[in-house]
Amino acid sequence: MRLSRYFLPTLKENPSEAQIVSHRLMLRAGMVRQSSAGIYSWLPMGHKVLMNIQRVVEEEQAAMGCQQMLMPTIQLADLWRESGRYDAYGPEMLRIQDRHGRDMLYGPTNEEQITEIFRDAAKSYKELPKMLYHIQWKFRDEVRPRFGVMRGREFLMKDAYSFDIDDAAGRVSYNKFFVNYLRIYDRLGLKAIPMKADTGPIGGDMSHEFLILADTGESEIACHRDYISMDWVGTDVDYDSDLQPMVDTFTSKYAATDEMRDPEQEAALGDDLITARGIEVGHIFHFGTNYSEPLGAKVTTAEGGEATVSMGSYGVGVSRLVGAVIEASHDDDGIIWPESIAPFKVGLINLKTGDEACDAACDGIYNDLQTAGVEVLMDDREIRAGGKFADMDLIGLPWQIIAGPRGLKDGMVELKNRATGEREDLSIESALSRMTA
Ligand code: ATP
Ligand code: MG
């Protein structure tokens, strides 16, 4: 992409409405614009990152055998009356009526919807287990939408649902998601710590929230120091193997969010205790028959009886993650994207747009990178070099190739690593082979 043609409305000044760094940087880097409180438009570069995160989630969900589908944003109130949640949900739910006066709502989540679909389709235990997910916009009329996309009213969530014959089988599905989530966050360059969450009336230990540590996080958390240095899951997970030992490793140490903290355990930890703030980037929950019971989702059993299916739901905050990654990865100059989700891998800076030789050399590098399948954003705007450097650092592409008349005379460019700030002078060929390796 040529920056002269790209829609990237960057801002030099810090927008006064933004209280935290990720929000400031997303506005300054031209990624999003607020439409109304907690509702955002995603501009081309923000949208690219959002879709890259979505792709990582999709790849990992596929790897664990969870199937993608798409449910609507608008749901019937009557369905939520069946589960009893229509009245219970409160003012966070956006309630609407269609022209026939029928009560509808903008989905804040999809347990009822998926349970209805499953109930009407599944008949026998032989069809279990099943894992299904979609990535869809949700609406929750949050009391305090803030921090940009981190706590929006409209936000993109991946929500998955598991269906099993009983709670023991449900635990197997739960463990798959548990490990899968560690994989997802790892690929996004994040260390998300699983913390025991409140399971409400059904009890048990099958609910975890995944939090990344950040000063701007909304939750006050406490955990064992070991989580900071713990080795994360490898790239190869055999989802058909027994994952309980792996889950046990990650849950063996103390880690709790505000409402789950235990002063006694914390006192016992002494110097091993860390208290910090955290951002919730995912939540998994096994809730048994909470929805399948009222909605009547049953299957026949091997013995010829009937069983109400045991379910779980598993959410990842896809749009919140864009902000969370920035909170975890930035410096004074701007964003530092991990390569896995960077909007472009390389930013090519033409230091002297309008200079014939310089333009020709940059076009050559640009074309070679494109041909090799490397995503590149070339700054070919007719502005001062200082402005180009500042914008390129601000938008945080992992690599910068800086090309000016002086170096190009000898066929040389500068390669800069955005994360480390390291710069080296290289021949065009070496720079290209480094970027395409
Ligand atoms: P929170 O405690 O932050 O309000 P929640 O517990 O209500 O979140 P879940 O229903 O567990 O959220 O939703 C799954 C994931 O969706 C959360 O872990 C979070 O990452 C994301 N999420 C929830 N609410 C919002 C929001 N208002 N804006 C952006 N992302 C959100
Ligand atoms: Mg939650």
Side-chain angles (χ1 to χ4, degrees):
M1 178 60 66
R2 291 170 186 274
L3 197 36
S4 59
R5 294 181 194 166
Y6 201 41
F7 185 63
L8 186 74
T10 56
L11 307 173
K12 285 201 180 57
E13 306 299 328
N14 275 327
S16 57
E17 74 268 29
Q19 302 164 32
I20 61 168
V21 66
S22 59
H23 189 196
R24 274 199 293 277
L25 289 173
M26 287 182 75
L27 290 169
R28 284 194 51 209
M31 295 176 65
V32 289
R33 285 296 181 262
Q34 183 175 296
S35 153
S36 64
I39 304 181
Y40 289 85
S41 294
W42 293 77
L43 308 189
M45 208 181 67
H47 181 251
K48 213 152 188 274
V49 175
L50 185 68
M51 290 302 108
N52 285 348
I53 293 178
Q54 173 162 332
R55 181 180 36 79
V56 168
V57 173
E58 286 168 351
E59 285 171 7
E60 292 301 324
Q61 291 284 277
M64 67 169 277
C66 191
Q67 301 167 45
Q68 189 168 22
M69 58 185 290
L70 186 58
M71 288 179 270
T73 54
I74 306 292
Q75 303 177 28
L76 276 178
D78 278 345
L79 186 58
W80 285 65
R81 292 193 174 106
E82 277 187 61
S83 73
R85 275 212 290 186
Y86 189 67
D87 292 326
Y89 213 92
E92 276 193 14
M93 180 185 276
L94 180 63
R95 296 158 206 259
I96 40 194
Q97 278 193 346
D98 69 8
R99 62 163 70 191
H100 307 292
R102 196 170 5 219
D103 291 332
M104 312 205 63
L105 57 101
Y106 196 117
T109 177
N110 286 67
E111 280 82 7
E112 284 79 359
Q113 186 81 78
I114 192 79
T115 308
E116 179 192 44
I117 293 168
F118 193 82
R119 167 190 75 192
D120 295 346
K123 302 280 171 264
S124 151
Y125 70 96
K126 290 180 193 157
E127 293 161 62
L128 300 175
K130 280 278 180 306
M131 300 182 289
L132 301 165
Y133 81 98
H134 74 160
I135 297 176
Q136 178 62 289
W137 294 92
K138 306 289 188 285
F139 194 94
R140 295 181 187 173
D141 206 348
E142 302 273 357
V143 209
R144 276 190 77 194
R146 57 182 183 157
F147 300 161
V149 301
M150 296 265 256
R151 182 161 299 282
R153 292 198 294 165
E154 188 181 67
F155 60 97
L156 190 60
M157 195 209 284
K158 186 281 301 189
D159 41 324
Y161 304 90
S162 63
F163 301 88
D164 284 282
I165 191 71
D166 55 26
D167 289 344
R171 177 176 283 276
V172 174
S173 296
Y174 184 86
N175 288 348
K176 290 185 187 183
F177 281 100
F178 187 106
V179 172
N180 191 256
Y181 277 30
L182 292 175
R183 287 279 318 125
I184 290 173
Y185 302 123
D186 192 49
R187 279 187 64 183
L188 303 177
L190 298 173
K191 205 164 234 202
I193 303 174
M195 305 197 178
K196 202 185 271 191
D198 197 3
T199 46
I202 66 166
D205 61 350
M206 294 230 278
S207 180
H208 287 87
E209 293 178 343
F210 292 77
L211 285 100
I212 65 158
L213 304 188
D215 295 340
T216 49
E218 288 183 289
S219 325
E220 190 109 36
I221 67 104
C223 71
H224 194 291
R225 188 173 294 284
D226 283 358
Y227 274 110
I228 308 302
S229 55
M230 202 178 244
D231 265 340
W232 245 227
V233 269
T235 45
D236 276 328
V237 177
D238 177 2
Y239 286 102
D240 291 326
S241 67
D242 179 11
L243 297 171
Q244 193 64 52
M246 202 189 282
V247 171
D248 289 343
T249 312
F250 282 99
T251 53
S252 59
K253 301 255 157 79
Y254 180 76
T257 56
D258 355 27
E259 66 274 23
M260 295 296 284
R261 288 178 64 176
D262 174 358
E264 226 167 273
Q265 283 195 61
E266 291 188 12
L269 279 178
D271 282 348
D272 282 334
L273 184 78
I274 289 181
T275 55
R277 304 195 70 84
I279 302 169
E280 183 191 322
V281 289
H283 189 174
I284 61 178
F285 192 19
H286 174 82
F287 46 73
T289 57
N290 278 15
Y291 299 93
S292 47
E293 181 72 56
L295 282 131
K298 294 182 207 132
V299 291
T300 55
T301 63
E303 295 77 34
E306 236 183 13
T308 301
V309 295
S310 174
M311 292 176 56
S313 74
Y314 313 88
V316 169
V318 177
S319 50
R320 176 178 288 181
L321 273 165
V322 180
V325 168
I326 297 174
E327 289 293 327
S329 183
H330 67 270
D331 62 15
D332 289 345
D333 297 323
I335 302 166
I336 303 173
W337 290 117
E339 252 180 62
S340 56
I341 55 163
F344 299 89
K345 180 176 176 180
V346 183
L348 171 59
I349 299 180
N350 180 343
L351 284 179
K352 205 164 181 201
T353 305
D355 176 286
E356 218 169 290
C358 220
D359 290 350
C362 285
D363 282 349
I365 298 170
Y366 180 73
N367 289 332
D368 287 347
L369 287 172
Q370 299 252 76
T371 309
V374 176
E375 292 213 85
V376 50
L377 180 66
M378 175 165 71
D379 195 345
D380 58 345
R381 296 173 300 173
E382 301 204 13
I383 63 165
R384 284 182 312 108
K388 295 188 178 185
F389 290 136
D391 274 351
M392 206 50 96
D393 280 349
L394 172 65
I395 66 174
L397 309 183
W399 298 97
Q400 296 175 12
I401 295 177
I402 302 155
R406 206 174 319 152
L408 285 173
K409 198 161 44 56
D410 307 315
M412 302 287 282
V413 292
E414 196 178 17
L415 182 68
K416 176 177 159 184
N417 180 315
R418 175 67 182 88
T420 64
E422 272 171 82
R423 299 156 170 273
E424 31 178 333
D425 291 316
L426 292 172
S427 68
I428 293 176
E429 293 69 37
S430 324
L432 285 172
S433 67
R434 283 276 293 282
M435 290 303 97
T436 53

